[in-house]
Amino acid sequence: MTIEQEKFSGGVAVITGAGAGIGSGIARRAGEVGMTVVVTDISAERAEQVAEEIRGAGGKADAMTVDVSKPAELDRLANEVFEKYGSVRLLVNNAGIETIGYAWEIPVERWEATLNINIHGVIHGVRAFVPHMIKAGQEAWVANLASIGSFGIMPVQTAYMVTKHAVQSFSECLYLEMELAKLPIHVSSIIPGQVKTSIFDADAGKDEPTSTARHRQIMHDIMKAGGMDLAAASQVILEQVAQNKFWVSTQPEMTEALIEGRIAFLRDQAPPSLHESARQLLEA
Ligand SMILES: NC(=O)c1ccc[n+]([C@@H]2O[C@H](COP(=O)([O-])OP(=O)(O)OC[C@H]3O[C@@H](n4cnc5c(N)ncnc54)[C@H](O)[C@@H]3O)[C@@H](O)[C@H]2O)c1
């Protein structure tokens, strides 16, 4: 029996943004290890498709349409799930978008969407679910999607970077809050390096400034060429969450490199600088 089966089999998993990419990978893996998976996404069609795949493979899954940028929708989700199932063993606050553009060129709506989905979606997922978890009185797991971007900087991905730094600090504080309040709720920060998904696809950035569209294409091509396989990454993620790890990295060597760069930057109080290879790529 794997550690994921031991900890999670028979429990309920709720995953946001699970209609595609990493959320869908974690949802499929949760189904494989015997969880009932509540697949949620802003796209009803994509959520239903992933739930159908899980059921087709012999697992249990429900699909729900949820826009994480709206706190009331997360409250509705939590109420409905706890009413139906009575407990949630695993909550994955996964939904997130990439936004490309110079900070002063990104339209207001895109800034708002980025902050609301990537930061507030995670915060309000926790705010909506944790009181129910406490009431249920069972061991539970909350995992929030950070990024290697939580430890680095990247111009033209400023909006995204800001949100991932915020999610990382939120998860660190949340971990300590669970300890202080003596709650049986484990907190993990999931740090994907590069996992092959549709996050950099052109249509995901249709309301971004056109002056920086080339940057999205470069990131898209890098991910396509060197990104980790989705199923393999999802397996690593669920395994490490089941091991109660706070740091959950798909590619630990990438996480370490970014953290080392950050440590040096803070220690030296140096001006922000781009790695030479990144500079050459972006300026070419
Ligand atoms: N792919 C990577 O290499 C990578 C690296 C670091 C971090 N991440 C993080 O992983 C998470 C998932 O990214 P991905 O690469 O799988 O992206 P993706 O674009 O492939 O999938 C994201 C899913 O979220 C859904 N979504 C978008 N807005 C939503 C909203 N308002 N409410 C609910 N669902 C919404 C989309 O419909 C889509 O199904 C994000 O938080 C991302 O920042 C990914």
Side-chain angles (χ1 to χ4, degrees):
M1 187 185 261
T2 64
I3 181 102
E4 303 96 288
Q5 285 169 324
E6 193 187 307
K7 296 287 180 78
F8 294 146
S9 181
V12 172
V14 179
I15 306 166
T16 66
I22 293 173
S24 70
I26 298 173
R28 286 187 204 97
R29 183 68 190 142
E32 277 167 19
V33 304
M35 300 193 87
T36 297
V37 191
V38 182
V39 180
T40 79
D41 201 278
I42 195 169
S43 158
E45 198 185 330
R46 280 200 291 274
E48 185 47 47
Q49 201 177 326
V50 172
E52 188 51 49
E53 277 176 43
I54 294 169
R55 290 191 294 264
K60 292 184 191 139
D62 269 348
M64 281 183 68
T65 313
V66 177
D67 177 352
V68 301
S69 73
K70 302 195 167 81
E73 292 209 10
L74 287 159
D75 285 320
R76 176 179 57 83
L77 172 68
N79 289 336
E80 286 183 18
V81 169
F82 275 88
E83 199 165 300
K84 182 163 180 189
Y85 296 106
S87 69
V88 167
R89 201 171 298 173
L90 171 66
L91 169 69
V92 185
N93 289 304
N94 163 79
I97 59 169
E98 258 287 4
T99 290
I100 310 289
Y102 288 116
W104 58 92
E105 286 187 351
I106 296 167
V108 173
E109 297 72 23
R110 183 76 189 193
W111 261 113
E112 296 284 306
T114 312
L115 302 176
N116 285 335
I117 295 169
N118 293 14
I119 304 179
H120 299 158
V122 174
I123 293 170
H124 291 291
V126 167
R127 184 197 50 74
F129 276 78
V130 168
H132 289 281
M133 287 173 163
I134 294 171
K135 208 165 151 208
Q138 297 170 7
E139 190 177 20
W141 284 257
V142 174
N144 301 325
L145 263 289
S147 165
I148 50 167
S150 300
F151 312 104
I153 47 158
M154 180 58 83
V156 193
Q157 277 176 256
T158 309
Y160 181 78
M161 291 288 154
V162 166
T163 66
K164 293 299 169 178
H165 280 244
V167 169
Q168 176 65 19
S169 59
F170 176 72
S171 297
E172 289 173 25
C173 292
L174 186 67
Y175 180 97
L176 292 175
E177 289 186 355
M178 295 304 174
E179 261 187 11
L180 266 183
K182 298 189 172 42
L183 292 168
I185 302 177
H186 309 280
V187 177
S188 296
S189 179
I190 301 177
I191 304 157
Q194 261 178 15
V195 179
K196 276 187 187 134
T197 70
S198 47
I199 197 164
F200 285 116
D201 284 8
D203 66 337
K206 52 189 180 310
D207 50 349
E208 289 169 349
T210 50
S211 66
T212 50
R214 189 175 149 271
H215 186 106
R216 178 172 279 275
Q217 186 61 43
I218 291 170
M219 297 309 293
H220 173 270
D221 295 348
I222 291 173
M223 175 183 274
K224 211 169 167 197
M228 188 173 179
D229 169 73
L230 178 61
S234 306
Q235 190 162 346
V236 167
I237 289 171
L238 205 63
E239 182 183 27
Q240 294 188 16
V241 171
Q243 289 166 340
N244 302 347
K245 289 195 173 166
F246 176 75
W247 296 84
V248 173
S249 287
T250 59
Q251 291 121 305
E253 65 292 349
M254 290 176 104
T255 309
E256 280 159 27
L258 266 289
I259 289 175
E260 272 168 29
R262 192 75 188 156
I263 290 170
F265 166 70
L266 295 173
R267 185 195 56 224
D268 301 343
Q269 297 187 30
S273 67
L274 265 184
H275 192 276
E276 196 43 40
S277 58
R279 177 179 299 283
Q280 280 174 12
L281 194 66
L282 295 177
E283 286 181 352

